[in-house]
Amino acid sequence: EIVLTQSPDTLSLSLGERATLSCRASQSVGSYFAWYRQKPGQPPSLLIYDASKRATGIPARFSGSGSGTDFTLTISSLEPEDFAVYYCQQYSNWLTFGGGTKVEI
Amino acid sequence: QVQLVQSGAEVKKPGASVKVSCKASGYNFTRYAIHWMRQAPGQRLEWMGWINGGNGHTKYSQNFQVRVTFTRDTSARTAYMEVSSLRSADTAVYYCARWAQQPHDYWGQGTPVTVSS
């Protein structure tokens, strides 16, 4: 099973600041990689797929990069709705999720 | 618009079974797969597997292939996930999600399942 390790566990930032979240895979997943945002009491929602493609309706402040084993999600300027938990996911070999990064004020 | 609506919360005793439904609307149900995930308290999301909405073909994660069964009813546009021999470790929120041109682009609202004696 491919293990995804997210860092940091928690990111404390302010409105308008830039957020950089990381995810490392235990083996190469190519570009079969996605990022999700989960607000409290809601299901996750897709932000980025294929490592760098924004999902339908996702604003340009979200960007994804990386391939192989190291991936990054960047939020260029935090909005109130962005304070949430973010999960990475690989779908190269079955599917697995990372442990999550909480972005808090 | 695309919607996945899941059945309501369940409370079960250890050893019992639970069946969760996921009703789809707003798209051709037979065209895409429905995936199932669960999220136990304080734990990461776990992928359980998927069912093809058209031909009913299933794929189970190795962790779930013994006690979990996926089915679907195309006339009702509904997918089902059943877990048998429940134990306390199965206490979680269970989610269905569509896999179309983008992975898991629409999710159900989640069904909390509590296993307690």
Side-chain angles (χ1 to χ4, degrees), chain B residues 42-64:
Chain B
Q43 302 296 312
R44 68 180 62 194
L45 285 155
E46 264 188 294
W47 174 73
M48 301 174 70
W50 55 263
I51 182 166
N52 184 307
N55 60 19
H57 177 73
T58 56
K59 196 91 167 178
Y60 297 95
S61 165
Q62 286 185 321
N63 294 339
F64 295 98

Side-chain angles (χ1 to χ4, degrees), chain B residues 78-90:
Chain B
T78 300
Y80 302 91
M81 186 275 306
E82 184 170 21
V83 184
S84 61
S85 302
L86 286 164
R87 36 206 188 222
S88 58
D90 294 318

Side-chain angles (χ1 to χ4, degrees), chain A residues 4 36 38 42-44 46 49 55-56 87 89 91 94-95 97-99, chain B residues 35 37 39 44-45 47 59-61 63 95 99 102-105 107-108:
Chain A
L4 299 180
Y36 296 82
Q38 186 175 29
Q42 295 186 21
L46 178 67
Y49 69 100
T56 305
Y87 293 98
Q89 176 202 53
Y91 43 97
W94 300 92
L95 280 87
F97 290 87
Chain B
H35 287 230
M37 275 70 61
Q39 190 170 35
R44 68 180 62 194
L45 285 155
W47 174 73
K59 196 91 167 178
Y60 297 95
S61 165
N63 294 339
Y95 292 104
W99 189 293
Q102 301 172 19
H104 299 157
D105 56 352
W107 292 63

